[in-house]
Amino acid sequence: VQTCALPISDFNSQILATSDRFLKISELENIRELRKRMNEEVSGLRRAVEEKQQKDEEAYTALTRRVETLQAKLSEMEVEATVDPLTKVGNRRRFDSSLKRLTQAAKENGKSLALAMIDVDHFKKINDTHGHPIGDRVLVCVAQWLSRGVRQTDVVCRYGGEEFAILLPGASATEVERRMKKL
């Protein structure tokens, strides 16, 4: 995208034309006329360079804003791609990527990684008896409840349907069992 009012080829043409005029000026014998014309040409060159610099700065600023906008949109889309739209916890994609990342980290630092699976009992009966909007509210409440009951380092995801998964890096089996009973 060319955003400059003075494209590079025009700028180059202007510089070449000025150099041709300098050659003709050099043939002048009258010193005053020579100085006057040289000053005019130098002033013209300065204006052209200043215009080009200003246009380049404007183009750079516009491109910087565009890149920042695109980066913000990309971040939003990355969140959308990894967050369950109903429960607002991680989705299966987030679970898969977090499991891979946390498993690798656990191997590297020699610490444990626990996985807890939670299934909402009798969820089909809730949907059949009270309808899907109530079932959705149950899922949202479960997700909020789980999110509030874990550490910041833990990862809560909706695994699918009424199943949730929690990844608990660095937690001992005893600690996980105690926390899951509490939940």
Side-chain angles (χ1 to χ4, degrees), residues 4-23:
C4 295
L6 188 59
I8 291 177
S9 60
D10 289 352
F11 179 74
N12 291 344
S13 297
Q14 191 174 2
I15 297 298
L16 289 172
T18 299
S19 68
D20 289 342
R21 286 192 299 272
F22 270 128
L23 287 173

Side-chain angles (χ1 to χ4, degrees), residues 12-183:
N12 291 344
S13 297
Q14 191 174 2
I15 297 298
L16 289 172
T18 299
S19 68
D20 289 342
R21 286 192 299 272
F22 270 128
L23 287 173
K24 289 180 184 171
I25 290 172
S26 68
E27 295 172 4
L28 291 174
E29 292 192 20
N30 181 336
I31 297 290
R32 282 190 179 175
E33 185 63 23
L34 177 67
R35 286 181 68 190
K36 178 184 167 198
R37 290 257 192 89
M38 290 285 279
N39 284 334
E40 288 171 0
E41 290 300 326
V42 168
S43 294
L45 277 174
R46 278 199 174 129
R47 277 192 306 278
V49 168
E50 288 169 359
E51 278 180 32
K52 176 91 173 65
Q53 284 176 330
Q54 182 179 355
K55 296 299 179 187
D56 287 350
E57 287 173 13
E58 290 169 3
Y60 177 78
T61 300
L63 287 172
T64 300
R65 276 194 298 262
R66 181 71 178 140
V67 166
E68 289 169 353
T69 300
L70 290 173
Q71 285 174 331
K73 285 183 181 181
L74 178 61
S75 293
E76 288 174 24
M77 294 185 95
E78 285 173 345
V79 168
E80 284 181 27
T82 61
V83 173
D84 178 63
L86 176 64
T87 62
K88 305 298 184 223
V89 296
N91 62 11
R92 180 65 181 269
R93 179 179 284 159
R94 164 93 45 89
F95 171 78
D96 291 341
S97 65
S98 296
L99 179 62
K100 185 177 182 179
R101 177 179 50 82
L102 292 173
T103 300
Q104 184 61 37
K107 284 179 185 176
E108 289 173 4
N109 64 28
K111 294 196 176 185
S112 63
L113 172 63
L115 166 62
M117 299 295 295
I118 292 102
D119 182 86
V120 178
D121 291 339
H122 312 292
F123 186 72
K124 183 177 177 347
K125 187 175 180 181
I126 293 169
N127 272 341
D128 291 345
T129 305
H130 303 288
H132 289 280
I134 298 300
D136 287 350
R137 288 178 60 193
V138 168
L139 293 175
V140 169
C141 288
V142 169
Q144 290 173 348
W145 184 33
L146 293 174
S147 294
R148 289 185 192 128
V150 297
R151 304 169 301 179
Q152 276 190 311
T153 56
D154 298 338
V155 180
V156 177
C157 297
R158 184 173 175 197
Y159 190 76
E162 77 280 6
E163 295 175 315
F164 291 85
I166 304 174
L167 294 166
L168 304 110
S172 68
T174 307
E175 186 181 1
V176 171
E177 185 177 358
R178 182 177 41 79
R179 274 203 245 151
M180 292 305 112
K181 281 182 180 178
K182 184 178 175 185
L183 283 175

